[in-house]
């Protein structure tokens, strides 16, 4: 971000503690892609479960991008059979 007379730089605000049970943070990068982070409460989710949730979310987004005219409800059955 550029503001006249103002110096702006990003800082990492993550302090090692999830602010809620499950947070998905997404932002656009400088190339127009998306970057993100998944924060989760380690008392509720283990690392494998959190990674599986993120992978499932990415699968849904991918299916939506490939078939933008389809309803999500028609995409989900095909995705579920591919999920563990």
């Amino acid at each position: 971000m550029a503001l006249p007379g103002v110096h702006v730089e990003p800082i990492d605000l993550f302090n090692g503690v999830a602010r809620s049970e499950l947070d998905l943070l997404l932002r656009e990068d400088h190339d127009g892609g998306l970057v993100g982070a998944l924060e989760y409460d380690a008392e509720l989710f283990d690392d494998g479960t959190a990674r599986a949730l993120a992978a499932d979310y990415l699968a849904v987004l991918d299916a939506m991008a490939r078939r933008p005219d389809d309803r999500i409800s028609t995409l989900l059955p095909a995705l579920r059979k591919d999920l563990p």
Side-chain angles (χ1 to χ4, degrees):
M1 177 185 331
L3 299 171
V6 177
H7 173 75
V8 178
E9 67 182 70
I11 59 172
D12 186 9
L13 297 177
F14 183 63
N15 64 2
V17 177
R19 291 181 293 252
S20 64
E21 294 172 356
L22 191 65
D23 279 333
L24 176 62
L25 311 165
L26 297 172
R27 67 174 175 80
E28 187 174 358
D29 68 9
H30 64 278
D31 294 328
L34 286 178
V35 295
L38 182 67
E39 292 180 0
Y40 59 92
D41 184 336
E43 292 182 10
L44 299 174
F45 302 97
D46 62 24
D47 187 62
T49 301
R51 286 179 184 275
L53 286 169
D56 293 350
Y57 183 69
L58 290 175
V60 170
L61 291 180
D62 182 64
M64 290 170 52
R66 291 176 189 274
R67 297 167 52 186
D69 295 330
D70 286 7
R71 296 177 62 96
I72 293 175
S73 60
T74 63
L75 298 173
L76 291 179
L79 291 171
R80 285 192 184 115
K81 71 178 183 176
D82 293 334
L83 299 176

